[in-house]
Amino acid sequence: MKKVAILANGGDVAGFNAVIRAIVKTAENKGIECYGIIDGYNGLLKNDYKLLSTDAHGDAVGILPKGGSIIGSSTNANVFNYKVKHEDGTVEFKDLSDVCVQNVKNAGFDCVFTLGGDGTQKSARDLSLKGINVIGVPKTIDNDVACTEITFGYNTAVSVAANAIDRLHSTGETHHRIMVLEVMGRYAGWIALESAIAGGADVALIPEIPYDINRVAEKINNRRKRGKNFSIVVVAEGAAPKDGKLTIIGTRNNGSGVDNTRLGGVGQVVAKQLEEITGLEARNTTLGYMQRGGTPTAFDRVLSTKYGVKAMELALEGKFGTLAVMKNGKVDSVSLEDVVGRNTEIGACSGNTAESNIRKVSMDHDLVKTARDIGINLGD
Ligand code: F6P
């Protein structure tokens, strides 16, 4: 193995650079050149890449605590169904994956490390079926990649959300308000549930448990009876009421085969309903991209480094078409087929649909039991 490349794709997370650094360092130790593909699958298509090194003035120096991705990322590049704009303004979707395959061959990359979530890994799996050596590393703040206990970036998102809950506590308590915090996570409730426990919230509404707003109001009123005139409600962006629908901000136009739904707005809906039912003032805060940006937690730095090292180990062993994962607390690997094989409705780039093979919060998970046992209302 002489030359490898790293491709970061999908919505950014804290920890991207830590993975990149770990791969570059382990490659250098083995005398392997490591390249960074610029802007995810877009760069693979445009043949845009640069050498990464940890030499004094190299691009991969000092990047461990840095947010974002030093090689960019793309959320709108499904090379199997790529949006091509013609000069006359018309748009066409084309399968340009063979261009990527040729670019990898021309560059002489012995392996491409694909850092990304479900969509990214699905494209990686499809490229591996066309003969490209790929190894995936599971990234997303949503923590919803199948076959792994944790994705890098998730812990930082939870930590940002927990800090926000701490801050909402003091302002909520001062003004005797219901403070709602809407967090990300798409169709999985990991961020909402874990940050609610970490921040001591009173309610956590997650996509896996359709909520009854009256049960939430009951919880808040019970707190009031005990002299607690404020409450903290964490709502996952993908939470929906019983017999109700997801709240959607809009759509994006990344092509068919990709989840184009932009989730958002449920926090505002919940705040308004709770105000009406309880008579208490309610305010919503939508945390948004704060959860993705900035420096990774120490946990994410270590996890990302472990994943980067494992990915290179898999490459050296020739175990291509796999994803580095965490299994029973240990770094391990699974085939990409197991991870994304069942996802027929996503194409690439960011996002999953509600039906895809994502890892959701299961009702027997420790976090659910822990939340219930300390009295966090889950909306049911
Ligand atoms: O998948 C990561 C994520 O941040 C989700 O939590 C969120 O729904 C989505 O990406 C936002 O995507 P975009 O960057 O396209 O707005």
Side-chain angles (χ1 to χ4, degrees):
M1 186 160 301
K2 293 198 175 69
K3 256 175 128 178
V4 295
I6 305 173
L7 177 150
N9 200 67
D12 70 325
V13 302
F16 251 152
N17 291 325
V19 178
I20 293 168
R21 172 180 173 269
I23 294 175
V24 173
K25 275 183 173 265
T26 46
E28 283 178 345
N29 284 343
K30 300 281 176 193
I32 299 168
E33 274 188 349
C34 191
Y35 290 79
I37 294 169
I38 308 302
D39 293 342
Y41 283 116
N42 272 324
L44 196 60
L45 201 55
K46 293 177 188 151
N47 212 17
D48 193 4
Y49 52 87
K50 65 176 175 187
L51 182 67
L52 299 175
S53 109
T54 60
D55 286 348
H57 302 292
D59 283 320
V61 172
I63 62 172
L64 181 61
K66 220 175 158 187
S69 157
I70 59 157
I71 52 174
S73 184
S74 165
T75 57
N76 62 357
N78 177 1
V79 295
F80 289 86
N81 196 24
Y82 198 78
K83 186 173 168 186
V84 180
K85 283 186 198 152
H86 296 295
E87 275 177 9
D88 63 1
T90 55
V91 166
E92 193 188 349
F93 288 92
K94 280 186 159 178
D95 180 356
L96 297 179
S97 55
D98 286 339
V99 179
C100 296
V101 170
Q102 205 47 56
N103 287 344
V104 172
K105 286 187 179 159
N106 292 345
F109 293 140
D110 300 308
C111 176
V112 179
F113 297 99
T114 52
L115 282 43
D118 229 4
T120 303
Q121 305 308 347
K122 183 163 191 289
S123 283
R125 191 277 309 253
D126 292 346
L127 287 173
S128 81
L129 295 177
K130 290 188 165 217
I132 300 300
N133 291 336
V134 299
I135 289 175
V137 184
K139 168 237 69 166
T140 169
I141 63 164
D142 306 336
N143 203 30
D144 61 355
V145 174
C147 307
T148 185
E149 282 156 17
I150 192 158
T151 54
F152 71 90
Y154 166 67
N155 180 266
T156 305
V158 170
S159 169
V160 170
N163 282 335
I165 296 169
D166 287 348
R167 290 176 184 276
L168 292 176
H169 256 108
S170 56
T171 170
E173 193 166 7
T174 305
H175 296 290
H176 316 306
R177 283 173 170 163
I178 300 166
M179 302 305 287
V180 177
L181 179 70
E182 181 184 311
V183 297
M184 285 182 167
R186 295 203 74 73
Y187 307 104
W190 298 107
I191 300 177
L193 187 56
E194 193 152 357
S195 67
I197 295 171
D202 308 296
V203 178
L205 304 181
I206 61 175
E208 293 83 350
I209 305 177
Y211 65 84
D212 177 345
I213 199 71
N214 293 308
R215 300 308 304 267
V216 179
E218 227 173 80
K219 164 79 186 178
I220 291 167
N221 283 332
N222 285 340
R223 278 174 55 78
R224 227 175 352 172
K225 280 183 202 147
R226 297 173 63 209
K228 296 176 174 181
N229 289 329
F230 77 100
S231 288
I232 308 287
V233 179
V234 181
V235 186
E237 63 180 359
K242 275 183 183 156
D243 307 319
K245 282 190 184 147
L246 286 169
T247 314
I248 286 164
I249 287 184
T251 53
R252 47 189 183 191
N253 186 13
N254 291 339
S256 61
V258 174
D259 179 11
N260 285 316
T261 314
R262 284 191 64 209
L263 300 175
V266 66
Q268 191 56 49
V269 171
V270 165
K272 192 165 177 285
Q273 287 179 328
L274 289 177
E275 199 163 73
E276 280 162 13
I277 302 171
T278 64
L280 281 171
E281 263 192 334
R283 295 285 188 272
N284 172 62
T285 302
T286 300
L287 201 48
Y289 298 88
M290 301 283 288
Q291 294 158 95
R292 292 186 356 192
T295 191
T297 56
F299 181 94
D300 258 332
R301 293 179 198 194
V302 175
L303 179 69
S304 303
T305 304
K306 282 184 185 174
Y307 273 151
V309 168
K310 181 67 184 178
M312 181 53 84
E313 184 188 300
L314 290 167
L316 291 169
E317 290 170 351
K319 292 186 178 158
F320 302 114
T322 56
L323 180 78
V325 294
M326 192 63 76
K327 232 189 248 177
N328 301 321
K330 287 212 154 79
V331 189
D332 206 326
S333 68
V334 291
S335 87
L336 279 172
E337 194 56 41
D338 286 347
V339 181
V340 296
R342 284 196 285 130
N343 290 358
T344 49
E345 62 288 88
I346 55 167
C349 74
S350 74
N352 305 294
T353 67
E355 291 76 33
S356 57
N357 182 29
I358 61 168
R359 182 174 159 268
K360 296 193 183 199
V361 176
S362 59
M363 290 308 106
D364 60 354
H365 196 279
D366 270 1
L367 288 176
V368 174
K369 181 177 169 8
T370 304
R372 288 199 194 280
D373 286 357
I374 57 163
I376 296 179
N377 178 282
L378 300 181
D380 56 352

